[in-house]
Amino acid sequence: MSGLRQSQSVLHTWSGLLLGWILFGVFLAGTVSFWRDEISRWARPELSPAIDRVAVLDGAIGFLRGKAPDASSWTIELPNDRSAGTLVRWQPQPKKGGKARAERGFHNMQWLDGSGRPVHVRETRGGDFFYRLHFDLHYMPVTWGRWLVGVAAMMMLVAIVSGVITHKRIFRDFFTFRPGRRQRSWLDGHNATAVLALPFHLMITYTGLITLMNIYMPWAAIANYGGLKPMYRDLLTSEIKAERVEQAAPLPPLALIVADAERRWHGGHAASVRVLQPGDAGQRVVVSRRLSDRLVDGGDPVRFNGAGQHLSGPSAESATLAARGAMIGLHAGRFADLAMRWLYFLCSTAGTLMVATGLVLWTTKRREKFADATRPPFGFRVVERLNLAFIAGMPLAMTGFLWANRLLPVAMRGRADAEIAAMFQLWGVAIIVALLARPRYAWGGLFLATAVSLVGLVVADLFVTDTGLAASFVRGDWPMAAMEIAFLCLAAGFGWFAWRYWQQPTAPRPALRRTIAPRPAA
């Protein structure tokens, strides 16, 4: 049995190390993504909450009639308790002889207030950027990024299973923490964060692989459908067609249609309303459901004709599609209410710390074995600097994205890309610090910089927006106030990390071994 544990220990160490830095970034971005809607709400301070759904729908229809009366489709994304404002999109009629295509340009969408008046909102990706960063990475082809994340996730799964096998006292060690013991302290922290949310770690890693399994194992789709696109078209496309008959017709009352759809969902909530061929006798209305209503991911659409009469939906899904949707729902956590979302967030934070402590533990264990700790091997220095660049540098870089959201001109062209560029530029600065500064000072310095940056965001919001902490409390805008409080709590955590690092005693340098030549015989 000891031989098995020893072999699993080697597998655990190297499967966790080789792509551990990508795993850390994936876990960190995924952890932040559980508050994706709240971050997007904070990133658009121009929007205010809308309460009256009838007024929202009437205002959106009034705007679309004036802006795009001849469009082939209108889409109204309704606000909810986690968002603000109303987003409307429209698709122009296809040109003669051409095919209809969705135009996703910024000019084909508009944010509205609760009365249907246009609101000039800064261009930003908001929380969607961190969500896509979690599995697409950035500045590389999407397929390459997903393959790289998939390989890292597979190695994560191997590391979890081999870690359970190799640590024979892992559950007992979970209740033990010995501070100030260097290697022992890092191992205790690694064990605690691993065991604390072990079922979550297994679930989130396995479902992450399942959600993108068709990219990693496309052979069944190729054998049965000839490719992925035909399979998706056959299994997942449930949209109805609306043929234009060139005969004017009034739009049915959308508020009543939405209420009918929610009744058919047995208490579900509408997320969006899409009108196909609006104003024509051949028009159709499709109401999609909030993803937070149920575990199975998907819009569960209900369809109506131009007179507001029910046509179809919600439809019973096959067991295969329901299982697929449940895996995606479990991984993304969109079904979770506030309490469950906090549980997801805390467990994912434990996973992020588990990866970080594992990476640091690798260097801590090996540093104590060197005869001269001031001259470690090149490979050790590479791992140590990469730990610094990712574990301490990436959180600081993410605050750069938030600062760019507040400081860049609101009307700037290409503003969303500039926010992302600001994040990677700040990360580049952090990497330079990690490469040049002494690790003992760089760790604390980068953590302190992150803490100061987060506090600065809260202070800046008092002056550059009218949605700062005090103003949000006065208006009762609790999502915005919660974001500001979260920044302060995170700042306290990073400040504590910096303080703890600087409080650690400097390890005594091991004495250099000297070879003493034997005295010659007399």
Side-chain angles (χ1 to χ4, degrees):
M1 190 66 180
S2 60
L4 173 63
R5 286 202 179 96
Q6 182 63 32
S7 64
Q8 293 300 303
S9 177
V10 175
L11 182 62
H12 178 76
T13 298
W14 290 103
S15 62
L17 177 67
L18 292 178
L19 290 178
W21 301 285
I22 294 177
L23 275 175
F24 176 82
V26 167
F27 251 101
L28 181 60
T31 301
V32 171
S33 296
F34 289 126
W35 305 108
R36 171 186 178 184
D37 290 346
E38 286 76 10
I39 295 173
S40 295
R41 164 80 174 87
W42 179 88
R44 300 182 179 98
E46 298 84 4
L47 298 174
S48 57
I51 301 174
D52 189 342
R53 188 169 66 185
V54 175
V56 166
L57 287 168
D58 290 344
I61 291 300
F63 171 82
L64 288 168
R65 278 177 175 155
K67 183 69 175 180
D70 299 323
S72 65
S73 69
W74 296 339
T75 302
I76 306 170
E77 296 185 13
L78 301 173
N80 56 52
D81 55 347
R82 298 179 62 190
S83 65
T86 306
L87 181 63
V88 296
R89 304 176 188 269
W90 59 94
Q91 180 179 338
Q93 293 287 349
K95 296 180 180 180
K96 292 183 179 181
K99 294 183 179 180
R101 64 185 180 89
E103 298 204 20
R104 300 177 182 234
F106 197 74
H107 56 282
N108 278 351
M109 57 181 283
Q110 178 64 55
W111 286 95
L112 309 175
D113 64 12
S115 301
R117 291 186 294 268
V119 180
H120 185 65
V121 178
R122 63 192 66 195
E123 183 186 354
T124 179
R125 295 271 299 277
D128 293 340
F129 166 67
F130 297 114
Y131 171 71
R132 303 296 299 192
L133 181 67
H134 165 64
F135 59 93
D136 283 351
L137 304 183
H138 203 69
Y139 294 134
M140 68 170 57
V142 169
T143 302
W144 292 12
R146 293 185 180 184
W147 264 103
L148 191 56
V149 170
V151 173
M154 181 58 71
M155 297 184 76
M156 174 74 173
L157 196 60
V158 171
I160 292 174
V161 175
S162 59
V164 172
I165 295 173
T166 192
H167 292 98
K168 60 181 178 180
R169 299 184 303 175
I170 187 170
F171 289 101
R172 191 182 77 177
D173 288 345
F174 167 66
F175 298 99
T176 304
F177 182 70
R178 286 152 284 196
R181 297 279 296 276
R182 295 190 176 276
Q183 178 182 331
R184 185 72 253 182
S185 300
W186 285 109
L187 182 59
D188 289 343
H190 184 64
N191 288 340
T193 53
V195 180
L196 178 66
L198 181 59
F200 175 85
H201 300 331
L202 285 168
M203 180 276 292
I204 208 72
T205 307
Y206 177 73
T207 55
L209 287 167
I210 290 297
T211 56
L212 298 175
M213 65 180 181
N214 289 324
I215 294 178
Y216 311 135
M217 297 183 292
W219 305 287
I222 294 173
N224 290 280
Y225 292 92
L228 293 178
K229 289 184 178 180
M231 183 191 71
Y232 289 137
R233 186 166 55 247
D234 184 51
L235 295 180
L236 302 181
T237 300
S238 58
E239 188 61 87
I240 61 173
K241 303 296 182 182
E243 298 295 335
R244 196 171 185 87
V245 298
E246 302 300 338
Q247 182 179 343
L251 195 68
L254 295 186
L256 296 180
I257 289 178
V258 169
D260 187 7
E262 291 180 339
R263 185 172 62 254
R264 295 177 188 277
W265 289 320
H266 303 290
H269 303 84
S272 66
V273 180
R274 189 178 185 203
V275 184
L276 305 174
Q277 302 299 344
D280 188 83
Q283 65 192 349
R284 296 289 186 268
V285 180
V286 181
V287 185
S288 296
R289 189 176 183 176
R290 281 189 203 171
L291 298 178
S292 60
D293 276 349
R294 58 181 191 153
L295 173 62
V296 177
D297 194 78
D300 199 17
V302 182
R303 304 166 188 88
F304 301 84
N305 65 14
Q309 297 170 335
H310 176 255
L311 291 177
S312 63
S315 58
E317 292 178 306
S318 68
T320 302
L321 290 180
R324 176 185 181 274
M327 289 294 181
I328 297 175
L330 272 174
H331 186 81
R334 298 189 186 100
F335 70 95
D337 58 12
L338 182 60
M340 180 63 73
R341 204 176 310 121
W342 269 109
L343 183 60
Y344 261 79
F345 174 75
L346 293 175
C347 290
S348 190
T349 300
T352 307
L353 293 174
M354 174 186 67
V355 176
T357 53
L359 290 169
V360 175
L361 181 62
W362 190 92
T363 58
T364 305
K365 289 174 65 176
R366 281 152 184 78
R367 181 182 290 279
E368 296 179 355
K369 297 178 182 180
F370 297 145
D372 184 359
T374 62
R375 295 181 179 179
F378 176 75
F380 176 90
R381 294 199 302 271
V382 170
V383 173
E384 187 176 45
R385 301 297 177 166
L386 284 174
N387 285 349
L388 254 171
F390 277 82
I391 299 173
M394 189 172 179
L396 177 61
M398 293 169 76
T399 67
F401 176 89
L402 303 176
W403 270 105
N405 176 268
R406 288 298 189 254
L407 297 182
L408 292 176
V410 174
M412 176 181 176
R413 295 177 64 88
R415 192 179 189 282
D417 291 335
E419 289 180 357
I420 297 171
M423 170 183 159
F424 284 98
Q425 288 164 3
L426 184 56
W427 199 355
V429 173
I431 292 173
I432 293 174
V433 172
L435 292 175
L436 299 181
R438 294 182 60 181
R440 175 178 175 81
Y441 301 109
W443 279 106
L446 290 174
F447 283 145
L448 181 61
T450 304
V452 172
S453 181
L454 288 166
V455 172
L457 276 172
V458 178
V459 174
D461 264 354
L462 298 174
F463 302 100
V464 300
T465 71
D466 56 358
T467 58
L469 185 57
S472 296
F473 268 121
V474 170
R475 289 199 307 267
D477 191 352
W478 305 120
M480 292 294 284
M483 283 294 298
E484 304 284 336
I485 294 173
F487 291 155
L488 293 177
C489 292
L490 289 171
F494 282 107
W496 182 82
F497 285 154
W499 177 77
R500 286 293 299 169
Y501 242 100
W502 286 329
Q503 288 296 311
Q504 290 181 359
T506 304
R509 294 184 181 180
L512 296 177
R513 296 177 182 176
R514 294 185 299 175
T515 302
I516 302 177
R519 294 182 179 181

